[in-house]
Amino acid sequence: MTAETPTGPLGGHLDDDDYPAYTMGRAAAMLGTTQGFLRAIGDARLITPLRSEGGHRRYSRYQLRIAARARELVDQGTPIESACRIVILEDQLEEAQRLNAAYRDAAGSANPPAAT
């Protein structure tokens, strides 16, 4: 087996954070939570698991990281709906900061300071 011709059930998805590799039961076990918690954050639209051909929920590593952050907030006493909103806003802020930094870098390289 080589990197160019991946085989096995995951095909070449071992490094793909967005690949829905985890069943609901496995995801809940990894997070140390219940399947009901995963359903609740899905209902709150924090994450939307993909569905297998049989209709079962499947979660990616990225989704599990988001769910873990929501669980931290819930464990601290934050209501689940509020925890989901906080995580969404944190994610949006991080993305906005990343874009701003990219725009600043692009603007800086387009207009180098004049030599004196």
Side-chain angles (χ1 to χ4, degrees):
M1 178 171 83
T2 66
E4 292 81 28
T5 57
T7 61
L10 293 179
H13 300 289
L14 289 176
D15 294 330
D16 186 352
D17 267 358
D18 295 318
Y19 184 73
Y22 304 98
T23 63
M24 178 180 269
R26 180 69 180 131
M30 290 171 68
L31 294 171
T33 190
T34 65
Q35 293 181 15
F37 175 80
L38 291 173
R39 282 187 205 94
I41 62 174
D43 291 344
R45 297 178 191 238
L46 177 61
I47 57 175
T48 303
L50 293 174
R51 298 284 182 150
S52 68
E53 289 182 16
H56 300 283
R57 291 175 178 89
R58 297 292 213 152
Y59 297 88
S60 68
R61 286 187 295 204
Y62 175 74
Q63 290 173 323
L64 294 183
R65 284 194 301 273
I66 290 172
R69 176 65 181 132
R71 178 165 184 238
E72 288 174 12
L73 292 168
V74 169
D75 287 349
Q76 295 171 5
T78 306
I80 196 161
E81 296 82 10
S82 299
C84 290
R85 185 67 180 141
I86 289 168
V87 172
I88 289 167
L89 291 171
E90 286 174 343
D91 192 49
Q92 289 173 344
L93 176 60
E94 183 179 318
E95 178 66 10
Q97 289 172 331
R98 187 190 64 74
L99 288 171
N100 283 340
Y103 290 142
R104 277 194 302 274
D105 290 346
S109 64
N111 299 316
T116 55

